[in-house]
Amino acid sequence: MYSLFAMCLKKADNEKVLIANNSFISCSRTDKPEMMLSDETDEMVSKLQEIYKNGSPDLYYHWNSELAKLKKEQLSVTPDKEKINVWFQYCSQLLFAGQVESCIYEVESFISSRNLDYTKMTEKGALPIIELLALAYLRKGELDNCRMNHNEFSCILPLQPKGFHVDKSGSEKAIEIYTIILKNNPSIRNKWLLNLAYMTLGLYPDEVPKAVLLDYPNWDNEVEDFPAFEEKASALGIAENGLSGGVCSEDFDGDGLLDLFITSYDMQDQCQFFKNTGSGFVDKTEESGLKGIVSGLNCIHADYDNDGDQDILVLRGGWLEAGGKHPNSLLQNDGNGFFRDVSKSAGILSYRPTQTAAWADINGDGYLDLFIGNESKGEQQHPCELFINQKDGTFKEEALEHGLGLLRGYIKGVSFGDFNNDKWPDLFVSVMGGENYLYKNNQGQFINVSATAGIKAPIFSFPCWFWDVNNDGYDDILVNSYDPRNLEDVPAVFVKELSGEKSGSELSRLYINNGDNTFSESSEAFGVDISSFAMGSNFGDLDNDGWLDFYIGTGAPSMSALIPNRMFKNNGGKTFSEVTSAGRFGHIQKGHGVSFADFDQDGDQDVYAVLGGAYEGDLFQNVYFDNPINDNNWIIIELKGNSTNTSAIGTKMCVRLEGGRQIFATVNTGGSFGSNSLQAEIGIGRAEKIEEIEVFWQNSPNQIIRNIRPNNKYRIIEGSNVAEKRTYRALDFVKDSSMKHMDHMHLQSK
């Protein structure tokens, strides 16, 4: 069935194709042949619904409403001496489920029915209960103000007056209770949460008692003179309210404008497609054939079938271990932004927990292959998968044949890059709780060079990527840390580092390529040796100076893990400076999929980030940070491969400027959790002349392109020495976010 559809796409408009029953169908690109593949999409929708309907809360830690019900039922049959523990679990699940008022009622009733008070509850045995109550009040303040009455300043530190809570009751109670707790049980975590509560009321720092006052921002650690970005997701119609998820930024419908595809972790959350209209975005999910395609913690896009448009892979089952045997979805794009699930017919359908994958042409045949990093833990062993493109729209799993068959681990990030510049994509694998791996691609065969390359740490890692951080033409590696040993104490780790103390938690690693197949660990020298608790993250060039910056979505499942997401600016390839607070990036809600892209076509990269946690009630609106920086020049290059894959994924470029400066770029979607557009958006600083651009095609000789003018977009086709100038003008995006403010509620499949 797939081959027939692929054949139809290659025919001219309105040409007819004979099908098996001797009848004909039209092959017009505008008249979608929905009958041909709708059965397979429907089959995937049914599979996903079946998994949900037959699921058990015992397998799904994020089914918190159901888990609360189970704990409540369990109370009636629990012996008296064990009742308090089960009741506490019940109250905790209420909070996780977002039933904050019910949690508060339960704990307050418990205290009053026993003639206790808050001070008495701070004694050792009862401390977890009163801490739960304080946290519930703090989250009630967030729910009543930041979510139900959301605006562009909500939850972004340092809080501005428009971000202060109007309904003060939640934070006022949190302050009362945390103050009592800290008198008898000092802890850094609760001290941070108390300071946070004061911030929400506009009382920080003046009203915070000096004994518990924390210095935030610590301007000794951050740069103050960086332009403030404006949060405009609501104004643009993309402030979706959901859980953790992924994002792909790309022109999916061929109109030259970058669209958005986003996912959310809940098993009933609808994947969504937002079309860029030139003045904002409109939800085209249902019209795009995606209704019922639900869930997915991450997504990544590429033109796997070389038909000239970008397809999407949705990844499912991450973190769920025994309950994570969910199918991924390969969504084939018809070129007009209409998608069909072809996972089964394409041959990639499997049932393994994952959230990470990467595309690359690993054997040099001009078609993209797919590596999926699955999660193995204990008895749940799920080998990673390498799907080799058969060049007919199908794949064949051949991990063993290409040297990756023995790869096992709790894989949390994978990335392809060419660290030795031999035009064969190499593979980096981030493992949580084990040594990381670097595989050198030897003409289609992967060789483990981790030990000699020197890249095994950190042991507790998550998102990762290849990038050229110092513009020397060699790919470096960033591996962000995520330490599960401290997931309940994330604020304490953050505050220790904020104060200049050693946190005792795992640190991120930056590996600088030495150009001889080895790397030097340089995180401290570059200023990125932090306990990042990174989940989603990505990189781009915020100020078009030609040096790559990066953004980290921070957090953990714990409802108390409320620390800022963080932005770091590259200082000439030598160090990084944190610009989180000055740039207004310090959102305290859990950060996941991140994308850098020039959505409004004004020449600088904006940032879209998916926010929300893992638990059912830990929702938040996604954010769009509009870039105000336009001092430097830029160039946008769209590559089209012929012998190389059509997307040109993995292709490197060198932009040579007047004065001898060189800037290197690679076509890819960036980090392992969040997908940038595949058009290369390259800052060139103050340079007013581009001498030439050299393109290092994977499957053909290098190509030199001249007569390129800054501040334009060009298309370069493999084999042609003439760059085609593309239309690229600034869009009339909404300037005043109050004009189109709307709060998009949590969207689930019905």
Side-chain angles (χ1 to χ4, degrees):
M1 191 69 77
Y2 168 85
S3 298
L4 179 60
F5 181 62
M7 179 174 66
C8 184
L9 287 181
K10 297 181 187 303
K11 296 292 183 179
D13 280 359
N14 299 320
E15 186 174 347
K16 294 183 177 179
V17 175
L18 181 67
I19 57 176
N21 62 359
N22 292 321
S23 60
F24 291 85
I25 61 169
S26 169
C27 287
S28 168
R29 294 279 287 189
T30 56
D31 296 329
K32 305 178 184 71
E34 298 183 15
M35 301 246 341
M36 301 181 66
L37 278 178
S38 61
D39 287 348
E40 190 172 343
T41 300
D42 290 344
E43 186 177 347
M44 176 57 74
V45 171
S46 296
K47 277 183 171 64
L48 296 173
Q49 287 303 308
E50 183 180 353
I51 290 171
Y52 175 74
K53 290 176 181 176
N54 295 333
S56 166
D58 293 332
L59 292 176
Y60 298 131
Y61 71 92
H62 60 336
W63 280 20
N64 307 111
S65 295
E66 292 298 319
L67 287 167
K69 290 178 184 177
L70 288 178
K71 292 301 177 184
K72 188 174 184 179
E73 293 170 0
Q74 189 179 337
L75 275 171
S76 61
V77 295
T78 299
D80 288 343
K81 63 179 181 179
E82 299 174 16
K83 249 186 176 60
I84 186 69
N85 291 327
V86 176
W87 171 82
F88 180 74
Q89 293 171 32
Y90 166 60
C91 294
S92 298
Q93 290 298 336
L94 288 175
L95 177 60
F96 300 162
Q99 299 175 37
V100 181
E101 296 279 7
S102 296
C103 176
I104 291 172
Y105 175 79
E106 282 288 332
V107 178
E108 291 283 20
S109 297
F110 175 89
I111 294 171
S112 62
S113 66
R114 288 160 176 77
N115 294 317
L116 301 171
D117 58 28
Y118 292 159
T119 300
K120 191 70 174 175
M121 293 294 295
T122 62
E123 294 179 357
K124 188 174 181 181
L127 181 61
I129 298 174
I130 194 66
E131 286 183 322
L132 179 66
L133 181 62
L135 183 58
Y137 275 117
L138 184 66
R139 298 305 297 247
K140 178 183 184 300
E142 171 219 312
L143 176 62
D144 293 342
N145 294 273
C146 304
R147 281 166 52 188
M148 301 306 294
N149 295 287
H150 180 73
N151 66 49
E152 63 271 31
F153 295 95
S154 296
C155 284
I156 299 176
L157 301 186
L159 279 176
Q160 300 297 302
K162 286 187 178 180
F164 296 159
H165 289 188
V166 175
D167 182 341
K168 302 177 184 296
S169 58
S171 287
E172 285 177 341
K173 286 294 291 186
I175 288 172
E176 177 189 349
I177 299 172
Y178 278 124
T179 299
I180 294 171
I181 291 172
L182 286 167
K183 284 181 180 177
N184 296 327
N185 296 276
S187 79
I188 300 175
R189 177 185 62 196
N190 289 335
K191 190 183 292 187
W192 168 256
L193 296 174
L194 174 61
N195 277 257
L196 193 60
Y198 274 107
M199 292 178 194
T200 66
L201 301 182
L203 302 177
Y204 177 93
D206 295 340
E207 300 297 322
V208 183
K210 290 184 178 180
V212 294
L213 177 63
L214 297 173
D215 185 16
Y216 184 85
N218 185 343
W219 293 116
D220 292 335
N221 300 337
E222 292 197 46
V223 170
E224 293 187 67
D225 59 346
F226 191 81
F229 283 50
E230 185 178 353
E231 202 287 286
K232 290 187 175 181
S234 291
L236 296 173
I238 46 177
E240 289 309 300
N241 190 15
L243 298 180
S244 51
V247 55
C248 294
S249 301
E250 194 56 82
D251 176 13
F252 288 110
D253 56 5
D255 64 358
L257 306 180
L258 296 182
D259 311 304
L260 277 168
F261 177 89
I262 62 173
T263 66
S264 180
Y265 190 42
D266 189 279
M267 290 169 63
Q268 287 290 280
D269 281 0
Q270 175 67 55
C271 297
Q272 292 174 271
F273 175 66
F274 291 92
K275 174 181 171 59
N276 187 338
T277 66
S279 60
F281 293 83
V282 293
D283 189 338
K284 292 289 185 181
T285 301
E286 190 162 346
E287 297 93 321
S288 297
L290 294 168
K291 186 176 181 180
I293 300 297
V294 295
S295 190
L297 188 52
N298 196 8
C299 52
I300 187 169
H301 64 281
D303 182 8
Y304 81 91
D305 51 5
N306 277 357
D307 67 352
D309 51 57
Q310 303 302 324
D311 313 297
I312 300 172
L313 178 71
V314 178
L315 298 153
R316 301 189 179 97
W319 297 107
L320 298 179
E321 299 176 8
K325 297 174 183 177
H326 297 186
N328 300 320
S329 280
L330 180 58
L331 303 174
Q332 185 193 48
N333 185 356
D334 76 344
N336 299 308
F338 188 88
F339 298 91
R340 293 174 175 80
D341 194 304
V342 297
S343 312
K344 182 178 179 181
S345 58
I348 71 155
L349 184 64
S350 64
Y351 294 82
R352 303 182 186 279
T354 184
Q355 65 164 66
T356 187
W359 297 94
D361 179 5
I362 68 112
N363 54 10
D365 65 357
Y367 282 76
L368 291 170
D369 310 300
L370 175 64
F371 179 80
I372 299 179
N374 294 314
E375 298 175 0
S376 294
K377 187 175 182 181
E379 296 180 358
Q380 296 297 320
Q381 291 296 302
H382 299 282
C384 295
E385 297 163 297
L386 177 64
F387 291 102
I388 300 299
N389 199 319
Q390 302 300 296
K391 300 187 286 188
D392 61 358
T394 68
F395 294 83
K396 185 178 179 183
E397 205 291 308
E398 295 184 355
L400 185 62
E401 291 86 339
H402 291 269
L404 298 173
L406 300 179
L407 181 53
R408 297 282 197 286
Y410 208 68
I411 312 301
K412 299 307 294 182
V414 298
S415 181
F416 281 107
D418 182 8
F419 73 82
N420 57 358
N421 288 338
D422 64 355
K423 297 190 178 183
W424 292 91
D426 311 301
L427 177 65
F428 183 83
V429 180
S430 169
V431 182
M432 184 174 291
E435 294 179 345
N436 300 316
Y437 297 101
L438 179 63
Y439 288 90
K440 177 183 175 182
N441 186 342
N442 185 18
Q443 299 187 34
Q445 289 295 313
F446 287 96
I447 302 169
N448 187 348
V449 296
S450 311
T452 56
I455 52 74
K456 291 184 176 181
I459 297 302
F460 296 106
S461 59
F462 199 159
C464 60
W465 58 73
F466 284 95
W467 60 342
D468 188 352
V469 74
N470 53 7
N471 266 323
D472 64 353
Y474 285 91
D475 282 347
D476 311 301
I477 300 171
L478 181 69
V479 198
N480 288 288
S481 63
Y482 187 91
D483 197 332
R485 298 170 299 181
N486 294 313
L487 292 189
E488 294 299 321
D489 218 15
V490 171
V493 174
F494 172 71
V495 169
K496 286 179 182 178
E497 290 192 345
L498 185 69
S499 306
E501 302 176 33
K502 290 187 176 180
S503 68
S505 195
E506 188 75 88
L507 304 179
S508 298
R509 300 290 194 277
L510 174 63
Y511 293 105
I512 298 298
N513 195 326
N514 297 320
D516 60 0
N517 295 325
T518 68
F519 293 79
S520 294
E521 203 289 295
S522 305
S523 55
E524 184 176 0
F526 275 76
V528 294
D529 53 332
I530 58 172
S531 301
S532 58
F533 288 97
M535 297 181 292
S537 55
N538 218 324
F539 62 90
D541 184 0
L542 291 176
D543 53 2
N544 280 337
D545 64 354
W547 303 99
L548 294 174
D549 316 304
F550 69 100
Y551 189 50
I552 298 173
T554 65
S558 171
M559 298 294 276
S560 67
L562 299 171
I563 64 172
N565 298 309
R566 305 172 74 177
M567 183 73 81
F568 291 84
K569 173 180 162 45
N570 188 332
N571 301 313
K574 297 178 181 178
T575 62
F576 284 92
S577 294
E578 184 164 3
V579 295
T580 298
S581 300
R584 306 283 303 136
F585 299 110
H587 210 295
I588 61 169
Q589 296 298 327
K590 312 320 176 35
H592 287 83
V594 174
S595 182
F596 286 71
D598 184 14
F599 293 102
D600 53 5
Q601 297 193 161
D602 61 356
D604 51 41
Q605 290 188 309
D606 312 298
V607 180
Y608 187 82
V610 175
L611 301 183
Y615 293 138
E616 185 180 300
D618 201 4
L619 309 166
F620 207 80
Q621 288 90 342
N622 298 341
V623 291
Y624 174 101
F625 295 111
D626 184 60
N627 193 330
I629 308 171
N630 53 17
D631 296 338
N632 288 327
N633 295 320
W634 48 273
I635 190 72
I636 294 179
I637 302 296
E638 175 189 311
L639 295 184
K640 182 182 182 298
N642 285 323
S643 299
T644 299
N645 68 88
T646 302
S647 296
I649 286 178
T651 302
K652 292 189 177 185
M653 286 177 281
C654 178
V655 181
R656 298 189 175 99
L657 307 174
E658 57 182 346
R661 185 184 179 191
Q662 298 186 138
I663 297 173
F664 291 88
T666 302
V667 177
N668 57 38
T669 54
S672 63
F673 202 154
S675 294
N676 299 340
S677 167
L678 291 171
Q679 66 179 21
E681 301 168 356
I682 306 169
I684 61 172
R686 297 289 185 176
E688 296 182 357
K689 183 178 181 181
I690 297 173
E691 300 288 355
E692 64 182 27
I693 295 178
E694 185 170 6
V695 184
F696 303 89
W697 297 102
Q698 181 178 4
N699 292 340
S700 65
N702 297 352
Q703 194 172 344
I704 302 287
I705 304 294
R706 298 185 176 88
N707 300 318
I708 298 287
R709 297 172 63 96
N711 303 331
N712 286 287
K713 177 178 178 178
Y714 291 88
R715 189 184 204 193
I716 299 175
I717 300 175
E718 187 175 12
S720 171
N721 289 324
V722 178
E724 175 190 349
K725 190 175 179 181
R726 309 287 277 180
T727 300
Y728 202 77
R729 61 180 183 274
L731 303 178
D732 188 23
F733 270 21
V734 174
K735 302 302 180 186
D736 178 6
S737 56
S738 65
M739 291 171 59
K740 272 182 70 176
H741 178 75
M742 61 179 68
D743 292 322
H744 291 178
M745 299 309 292
H746 190 209
L747 181 63
Q748 294 188 329
S749 177
K750 302 299 181 184

